[in-house]
């Protein structure tokens, strides 16, 4: 890639560079999630387990478990994280 | 049965690799791309039920055994070899080209092996040939990593051989059919398969080695070894209950690591491990639906995993790094790669209309039909988690997040073509699942696209995305940091050497003490002897002749005096 193109590339404003547009995406995600949650009342469930019939079970489960995953992983960092060259520094 | 129909298709790639050594570079690249196509056609005309036997060493070897299970793997392994080699089109390194061919061929040949001895031969060949894809990085780290990888792979083969020998002694047969874990032989063979399948605590060779391989090597590596192990489990251990628990642990355990890992290829290795867990659970359940699910998931998994490794490979190829902490904003300069990566991410996350959706759900449904709520809940957690760390984290930190300022060229055309074809297959299978369902081992009576399944899956995934967004906005999400996270390899890279070091040092200290004591005893003895008999010693003194005569006369005179005295 030539210098000019590089210059052009880095100065060009992209749609996502605008924080307003990022906000739009986040709002859209919230709306989609809200609709999907409400959709739980509008279809016939074919459950294998009783707890699947809780209103919005999949939504709640997905959210809660992901938060738990990240928090647990963050705690794991305290015990497991070492320097990048941990295995190589003696060499 | 025709002659062509009695050849193990894996041999096409293994033997075909030999002439490649003699061909000039340009022709060689076309030639090696053609081999998997020939291999694919050969698999296509194989008849299920074909069995080729030969007598050797008093045993009946079965170099070719065809059934509907092995054909699924035969197809996908050839497809993966073609796509991987196309991705590596720019590679002039003959070492990598030939080892990739032999490696893929060995995996295919192992899939069609009808007996344990043939399986062992190709099982070991996959390990020995694939290590060159790691060594081809030609760094000291890659060399040491390759050594660790090789030791573990060969160990797996040795355990398999031990199990096969005991199995032969017990049953008088080396036929590779259902084995089960009741016998010692069965347990040994399960451990051998488990090492290559990256069972929990036996897994770490995978996360250690795959990110050390070359840009193209990782793409090739990701397809074969572990899925060969899944195939071997499906053939030998279908319906083994322990596998359900092992598999469920595999789905959940690696994703915690994936969240905090910085090297994005290592993140993919962890999620590869997690996806294998679903297949292992399917094998453990062992019903027709579950085994179909395992085969289907292996098929779609190989494609989307290769696609994700290709996109990260392209990033590594262009930017020279694959670390989340150093990337970001690459969608501006690599828009097509970004798009393909997102397709791979959507597939692994099992979004409706993508391949993972129509295969993973078969396994979950099979588990639900067995009413195993805890296992099912674990798999559902892992499904949400895989979207979290693979589906979102990979594309987000590589291509979006904060702009790293890196401005590079888009990936080269052949990489884009390979990624494009793979992405097409991911979507094709997702949109038209019948194409895949038709080649599965058992007749499929399963409909993935029902309103409840689609809505529930979307709920799970979108709320998982919501969790990611909320955690990012609240800055709870752990940032990408340059770091190493301790895993089981700590035991053989730090603890093991430390213990051995201490042991050796301790023994050396004891040895030194013993040696010092003995030396002192010897030295003291010599000193004493030397004092009396040495040059200055009394016993070694040389005397004058006259004094000698004097003493002789004196002694004689003394004797004479005594004699006189007696006479008196």
């Amino acid at each position: 890639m030539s210098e000019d193109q590089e210059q052009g590339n880095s100065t060009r404003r992209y749609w996502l560079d605008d924080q307003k547009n990022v906000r739009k995406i986040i709002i859209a995600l919230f709306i989609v999630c809200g609709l999907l949650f409400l959709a739980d009342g509008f279809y016939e469930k074919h459950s294998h387990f009783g707890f699947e019939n809780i209103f919005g079970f999949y939504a709640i489960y997905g959210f809660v478990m992901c938060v738990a995953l990240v928090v647990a992983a963050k705690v794991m960092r305290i015990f497991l994280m070492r320097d990048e060259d941990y295995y190589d520094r003696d060499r | 049965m025709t002659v062509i129909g009695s050849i193990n298709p894996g041999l096409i790639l293994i033997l075909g690799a030999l002439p490649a050594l003699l061909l000039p570079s340009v022709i060689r690249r076309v030639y090696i791309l053609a081999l998997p196509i020939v291999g694919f056609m050969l698999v296509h005309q194989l008849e299920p039920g074909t069995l080729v036997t030969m007598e050797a060493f008093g045993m009946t070897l079965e170099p070719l055994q065809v059934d509907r299970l092995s054909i699924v793997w035969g197809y996908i392994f050839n497809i993966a070899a073609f796509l991987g080699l196309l991705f590596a089109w720019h590679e002039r390194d003959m070492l990598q080209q030939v080892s990739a061919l032999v490696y893929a061929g060995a995996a295919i040949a192992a899939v069609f092996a009808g007996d344990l001895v043939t399986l062992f031969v190709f099982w070991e060949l996959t390990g020995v040939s694939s290590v060159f894809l790691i060594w081809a990085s030609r760094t000291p780290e890659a060399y040491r990593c390759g050594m660790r990888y090789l030791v573990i792979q060969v160990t797996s083969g040795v355990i398999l051989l031990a199990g096969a020998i005991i199995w032969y002694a017990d049953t008088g047969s080396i036929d590779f059919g259902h084995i089960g874990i009741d016998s010692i032989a069965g347990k040994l063979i399960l451990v051998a398969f488990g090492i290559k399948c990256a069972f929990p605590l036996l897994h770490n060779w995978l996360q250690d080695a795959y990110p050390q391989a070359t840009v193209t090597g990782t793409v090739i590596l990701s397809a074969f070894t572990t899925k060969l192990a899944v195939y071997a489990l499906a053939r030998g251990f279908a319906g083994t209950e322990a596998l359900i628990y092992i598999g469920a642990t595999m789905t959940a355990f690696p994703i915690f690591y994936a969240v905090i890992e910085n090297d994005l290829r290592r993140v993919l290795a962890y999620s590869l491990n997690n996806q294998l867990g679903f297949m292992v659970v399917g094998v453990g359940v062992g019903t027709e639906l579950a085994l179909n699910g395992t085969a289907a998931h292996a098929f779609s998994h190989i494609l989307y995993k290769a696609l994700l490794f290709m996109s990260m490979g392209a990033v590594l190829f262009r930017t020279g790094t694959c670390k989340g902490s150093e990337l970001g904003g690459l969608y501006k300069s690599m828009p097509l790669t970004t798009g393909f990566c997102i397709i791979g991410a959507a597939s692994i996350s099992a979004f409706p209309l993508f391949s993972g959706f129509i295969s993973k759900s078969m396994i979950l449904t099979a588990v639900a039909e067995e009413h195993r709520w805890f296992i099912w809940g674990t798999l559902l957690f892992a499904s949400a988690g895989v979207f979290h760390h693979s589906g979102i984290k990979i594309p987000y930190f590589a291509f979006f997040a904060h702009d790293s300022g890196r401005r590079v060229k888009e990936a080269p055309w052949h990489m884009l073509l390979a990624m494009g074809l793979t992405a097409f297959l991911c979507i094709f299978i997702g949109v038209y699942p019948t194409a895949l369902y038709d080649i599965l081992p058992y007749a499929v009576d399963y409909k993935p696209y029902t309103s409840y399944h689609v809505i529930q899956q979307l709920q799970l995934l979108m709320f998982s995305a919501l969790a990611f967004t909320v955690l990012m906005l609240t800055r709870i999400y752990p940032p990408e940091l340059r770091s190493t996270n301790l895993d089981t390899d700590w035991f053989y890279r730090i603890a093991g050497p430390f213990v051995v070091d201490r042991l050796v040092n301790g023994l050396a200290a004891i040895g030194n003490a013993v040696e010092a004591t003995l030396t002192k005893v010897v030295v003291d003895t010599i000193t004493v002897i030397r004092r009396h008999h040495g040059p200055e010693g009394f016993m070694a003194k040389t005397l004058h002749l006259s004094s000698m005569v004097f003493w002789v006369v004196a002694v004689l005179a003394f004797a004479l005096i005594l004699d006189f005295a007696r006479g008196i």
Side-chain angles (χ1 to χ4, degrees):
Chain A
M1 186 174 285
S2 72
E3 285 289 315
D4 291 348
Q5 274 174 306
E6 255 175 57
Q7 205 60 35
N9 231 345
S10 60
T11 50
R12 194 180 136 193
R13 292 285 291 174
Y14 286 78
W15 189 76
L16 271 178
D17 283 338
D18 192 341
Q19 281 304 312
K20 267 189 282 180
N21 292 327
V22 175
R23 189 175 294 274
K24 274 183 205 162
I25 292 177
I26 294 172
I27 290 170
L29 177 68
F30 275 81
I31 293 171
V32 168
C33 284
L35 290 175
L36 277 169
F37 192 77
L38 293 177
D40 228 34
F42 297 95
Y43 67 92
E44 194 189 337
K45 289 190 178 181
H46 288 244
S47 333
H48 290 280
F49 308 103
F51 51 77
E52 278 186 85
N53 292 321
I54 300 168
F55 191 89
F57 167 75
Y58 283 86
I60 298 166
Y61 193 80
F63 188 85
V64 171
M65 291 311 257
C66 279
V67 172
L69 165 69
V70 170
V71 171
K74 235 182 139 166
V75 173
M76 277 169 58
R77 258 196 176 168
I78 300 170
F79 306 104
L80 297 177
M81 196 165 83
R82 298 290 185 274
D83 289 337
E84 194 171 38
D85 61 347
Y86 177 71
Y87 286 117
D88 295 316
R89 62 184 159 199
D90 294 336
R91 296 180 193 277
Chain B
M1 188 167 61
T2 58
V3 178
I4 298 285
S6 60
I7 297 174
N8 187 324
L11 296 177
I12 297 292
L13 269 65
I14 299 174
L15 300 178
L18 298 177
L21 291 166
L22 306 171
L23 294 172
S25 176
V26 182
I27 302 171
R28 188 172 67 232
R29 289 194 285 167
V30 179
Y31 170 77
I32 61 174
L33 260 188
L35 286 174
I37 298 176
V38 177
F40 184 89
M41 293 192 297
L42 211 60
V43 172
H44 187 65
Q45 53 77 48
L46 285 177
E47 292 288 335
T50 305
L51 182 66
V52 177
T53 59
M54 56 190 265
E55 296 292 324
F57 316 113
M59 294 181 289
T60 309
L61 296 181
E62 296 166 12
L64 178 71
Q65 186 201 43
V66 185
D67 61 15
R68 289 183 64 87
L69 186 70
S70 48
I71 284 184
V72 178
W73 264 264
Y75 278 134
I76 188 60
F77 276 176
N78 276 300
I79 295 172
F82 176 81
L83 293 169
L85 290 167
L86 177 63
F87 184 77
W89 174 263
H90 65 282
E91 197 59 71
R92 302 286 201 280
D93 184 1
M94 193 157 71
L95 175 75
Q96 285 191 64
Q97 292 168 331
V98 171
S99 52
L101 278 176
V102 174
Y103 171 47
I108 295 165
V111 160
F112 289 102
D115 67 275
L116 291 167
V117 174
T118 311
L119 178 73
F120 162 76
V121 170
F122 292 117
W123 190 265
E124 286 288 36
L125 187 57
T126 57
V128 173
S129 54
S130 57
V131 72
F132 292 100
L133 296 171
I134 301 165
W135 281 340
S137 292
R138 295 183 169 86
T139 61
E141 293 81 35
Y143 172 73
R144 290 194 295 270
C145 176
M147 278 315 232
R148 291 194 292 273
Y149 172 85
L150 190 60
V151 167
I152 292 169
Q153 297 298 315
V154 171
T155 305
S156 161
V158 171
I159 297 173
L160 172 61
L161 183 62
I165 291 169
I166 299 174
W167 183 254
Y168 180 61
D170 287 350
T171 65
S173 156
I174 52 164
D175 186 49
F176 180 28
H178 185 76
I179 296 169
I181 53 168
D182 298 330
S183 60
I184 292 183
K187 290 186 180 75
L188 282 174
I189 295 172
L190 182 71
V191 170
F193 292 173
I195 292 174
K196 285 219 187 196
C197 198
F199 277 5
L201 306 182
L202 303 175
H203 66 283
N204 204 238
W205 61 267
L206 197 161
Q207 289 85 356
D208 182 24
Y210 285 11
Q212 290 282 0
T214 59
V215 166
T216 54
T218 311
V219 176
I220 303 271
L221 282 169
S222 77
F224 299 102
T225 303
T226 50
K227 261 63 74 184
L228 169 61
V230 167
Y231 163 82
L233 285 172
R235 177 168 288 285
F237 296 94
T240 303
E241 175 145 11
L243 290 178
I244 299 177
Y245 303 104
I246 294 173
T249 312
M250 277 167 83
T251 60
F253 168 62
I255 58 180
F256 292 94
Y257 275 94
V259 170
I260 51 175
E261 177 58 52
N262 186 31
D263 184 327
L264 295 181
R265 290 203 299 173
R266 188 160 285 134
V267 173
L268 288 177
Y270 277 114
S271 78
L272 197 168
N273 207 177
N274 140 287
Q275 295 297 304
L276 292 171
F278 286 94
M279 298 171 219
V280 173
V281 170
V283 174
V285 172
T287 57
E288 289 194 355
L289 177 62
L291 290 174
N292 270 345
T294 295
H297 202 48
F299 195 100
S300 48
H301 163 89
I302 286 175
L303 292 171
Y304 60 65
K305 198 55 153 195
L307 180 55
L308 286 166
F309 270 120
M310 283 180 196
S311 65
M312 285 305 110
V315 166
L316 178 64
F317 184 69
R318 283 304 192 211
T319 66
T321 179
C322 223
K323 300 207 168 76
S325 56
E326 291 165 29
L327 295 171
L330 279 178
Y331 78 94
K332 294 175 182 176
S333 35
M334 302 178 83
L336 291 171
T337 307
T338 309
F340 293 136
C341 180
I342 290 173
I343 291 172
S347 302
I348 194 173
S349 314
F351 260 94
L353 301 181
F354 294 90
S355 59
F357 180 75
I358 61 106
S359 55
K360 190 161 73 181
S361 53
M362 296 174 95
I363 297 171
L364 273 145
T365 306
V367 171
E369 283 181 356
E370 300 278 301
H371 303 291
R372 295 175 181 276
W373 66 271
F374 186 75
I375 300 296
W376 184 85
T378 309
L379 297 191
L380 200 64
F381 160 62
S383 302
V386 76
F387 178 48
H388 210 88
H389 73 254
S390 249
I392 306 177
K393 175 175 172 162
I394 294 283
Y396 181 77
F397 284 108
F399 299 108
F400 302 98
H402 72 282
D403 194 338
S404 63
R406 288 175 190 273
R407 294 295 177 265
V408 293
K409 271 197 238 178
E410 177 60 278
W413 67 268
H414 63 276
M415 287 190 179
L416 291 175
L417 184 61
M419 287 191 275
L421 282 172
T422 317
F424 168 77
L425 286 172
C426 286
I427 296 174
F428 177 74
I429 292 170
V431 174
Y432 184 65
T434 318
L436 177 57
Y437 288 174
D438 279 349
I439 61 164
L440 293 181
Y442 304 100
V444 177
D445 176 28
Y446 178 76
K447 301 217 165 8
Y449 289 104
T450 53
S451 56
Y452 59 92
H453 185 198
V454 171
I455 294 175
Q456 289 167 346
Q457 183 68 8
L458 284 175
Q459 285 177 335
L460 185 77
L461 295 178
M462 292 318 287
F463 274 80
S464 172
L466 187 69
F468 182 85
T469 313
V470 170
L471 292 168
M472 285 304 281
L473 290 175
T474 51
R475 298 183 189 283
I476 293 173
Y477 198 89
E480 295 295 282
L481 298 173
R482 300 176 66 105
S483 58
T484 302
N485 293 308
L486 302 187
D487 201 336
T488 50
D489 58 345
W490 181 83
F491 288 100
Y492 56 80
R493 293 174 75 177
I494 301 290
F498 178 78
V499 170
V500 171
D501 208 43
R502 275 297 161 98
L503 214 61
V504 169
N505 282 343
L507 286 176
I510 294 170
N512 286 341
V514 171
E515 192 188 337
T517 314
L518 287 177
T519 312
K520 192 170 167 356
V521 170
V522 173
V523 168
D524 287 354
T525 313
I526 292 172
T527 313
V528 170
I529 294 172
R530 186 187 166 91
R531 192 184 311 140
H532 298 295
H533 297 273
E536 303 299 317
F538 175 76
M539 303 300 283
K541 245 185 206 158
T542 49
L543 298 171
H544 240 270
L545 192 59
S546 54
S547 65
M548 280 294 289
V549 172
F550 169 79
W551 281 110
V552 170
V553 171
V555 170
L556 284 177
F558 185 66
L560 199 64
I561 292 166
L562 284 181
D563 202 42
F564 275 129
R566 198 185 57 174
I568 291 172

